Amino acid sequence: MTETVVGADWQAWQNSWDRQQEWYLPDREERFRVMLDMVEALVGPAPRVLDLACGTGSISDRLLKRFPEARSVGVDLDPALLAIAEGYFEGEPRVRFVRADLKDPRWTEKLPHDTYDAVLTATALHWLHTEDLRALYGQLGTLVRDGGVFMNADHMPEEGTPRINAAERAFRHARMDAAQAAGAVGWAEWWQLAAADPRLAAPTAERFEIYGEHADGDTPSAAWHAAVLRDAGFAEARPVWASPTDALVLGLK
C-alpha cells in the first residue's frame, strides 16, 4: 500500500482516503446513499449544496456522480485534505472549495452564495465542542433556504446503553485490528503516507499544527442534535439512519 500511494495521482489519494475511512466506518457508503436519497426526496436532483467540513470532497464526489446537474461548494480548514480535493476535482466546473474555520463567527462570509438547498456533512463535526456546534447550527439556520435540508452523519452514541456500547466497541475494535493486521491502512499510518508525499508534506505538517493528532470535540446524542437544530429554526429534525454508534440526523427548514 505504501509503495502504491506515495507519489501516486490524486485519484489514488482519493481512493486511499476512502479505504482508510472504511477501515473504521464499514457502513460509510450506506450513509452516503441515504443522505443523497433524502436530498433527492426533499430538494430534487439539481441542488446547490454546501459540503461542510468536506475533507477530500467525498460527499461532493458522490453527489455529482449521482446528480449531474448538482453544484457543490466544499468548505474545510484542513490544508492537506483540501489539497487532495482540489487536485482530484481540478477542471470540474460544478464544484469549488473554500478554506475557512467553522469556529470563526465570520466563516460564512467566504462562501460564494448566501443560501443553499442542502448542507451536508459526515464524520466531521465531532471535532467541535457542543458550544461551537450549537453556534454553527445557529448559522446553518440562515444558510439553508426555506424548504431546504441539513444532514449530519457522525458519531452519536447513546449514553443510556453502556453495556451495548461496550460490547459494540470491543467487537468493532477487534474487527479493525484484524483488518489492519491483514494490511488495511489506519488513520495514523495514512497520515504518515501523506507526510511522505512531496506535494502533501507541507500541508500535512500545517494540518497537524492546526488540529493535533485527533478530535478533542464532543459526541452528543442524535436527540441532542435534533433538538438544537429545531432551536436553530429547522421546522423538523430527526435521525433518518442509524448504526450501533453513528446516526444521520436531518433538519428540514
Side-chain angles (χ1 to χ4, degrees), residues 164-186:
I164 295 173
N165 298 351
E168 186 283 330
R169 186 180 187 278
F171 175 81
R172 175 166 42 89
H173 279 265
R175 184 174 57 189
M176 290 166 62
D177 290 344
Q180 200 159 13
V185 175

Side-chain angles (χ1 to χ4, degrees), residues 178-245:
Q180 200 159 13
V185 175
W187 174 265
E189 185 181 357
W190 191 91
W191 283 108
Q192 292 172 0
L193 294 174
D197 187 315
R199 298 166 300 175
L200 292 175
T204 297
E206 182 184 359
R207 180 243 181 239
F208 278 96
E209 290 178 4
I210 296 170
Y211 292 111
E213 289 298 323
H214 212 290
D216 62 352
D218 300 317
T219 55
S221 69
W224 182 94
H225 287 271
V228 174
L229 286 170
R230 286 190 290 269
D231 289 343
F234 288 83
E236 300 177 14
R238 70 170 177 86
V240 292
W241 174 92
S243 75
T245 58

Side-chain angles (χ1 to χ4, degrees), residues 47 109 120 195 226 234 248:
E109 296 177 10
L120 309 176
F234 288 83
L248 171 60

Side-chain angles (χ1 to χ4, degrees), residues 6 9-10 32 53 67 72 131 147 189 220 239 243 249:
V6 174
D9 61 18
W10 295 119
F32 286 147
F67 306 125
S72 181
E131 60 270 23
E189 185 181 357
S243 75
V249 170

Side-chain angles (χ1 to χ4, degrees), residues 77-252:
L77 183 62
D78 190 313
L81 298 185
L82 281 176
I84 295 172
E86 290 168 349
Y88 177 74
F89 287 98
E90 185 176 7
E92 172 54 74
R94 296 173 296 169
V95 63
R96 60 185 294 183
F97 294 97
V98 174
R99 185 175 178 186
D101 184 352
L102 298 182
K103 292 188 288 186
D104 180 348
R106 303 182 65 177
W107 72 272
T108 59
E109 296 177 10
K110 297 184 177 182
L111 299 177
H113 309 292
D114 294 331
T115 62
Y116 293 83
D117 301 311
V119 177
L120 309 176
T121 187
T123 324
L125 298 189
H126 62 273
W127 288 83
L128 300 178
H129 290 292
T130 52
E131 60 270 23
D132 294 318
L133 189 55
R134 188 182 295 274
L136 176 64
Y137 280 2
Q139 292 174 304
L140 297 182
T142 60
L143 272 179
V144 177
R145 67 163 174 82
D146 288 345
V149 297
F150 167 70
M151 280 181 271
N152 177 15
D154 211 340
H155 308 308
M156 300 181 188
E158 294 292 338
E159 295 181 358
T161 57
R163 290 188 297 163
I164 295 173
N165 298 351
E168 186 283 330
R169 186 180 187 278
F171 175 81
R172 175 166 42 89
H173 279 265
R175 184 174 57 189
M176 290 166 62
D177 290 344
Q180 200 159 13
V185 175
W187 174 265
E189 185 181 357
W190 191 91
W191 283 108
Q192 292 172 0
L193 294 174
D197 187 315
R199 298 166 300 175
L200 292 175
T204 297
E206 182 184 359
R207 180 243 181 239
F208 278 96
E209 290 178 4
I210 296 170
Y211 292 111
E213 289 298 323
H214 212 290
D216 62 352
D218 300 317
T219 55
S221 69
W224 182 94
H225 287 271
V228 174
L229 286 170
R230 286 190 290 269
D231 289 343
F234 288 83
E236 300 177 14
R238 70 170 177 86
V240 292
W241 174 92
S243 75
T245 58
D246 292 19
L248 171 60
V249 170
L250 183 153
L252 176 66

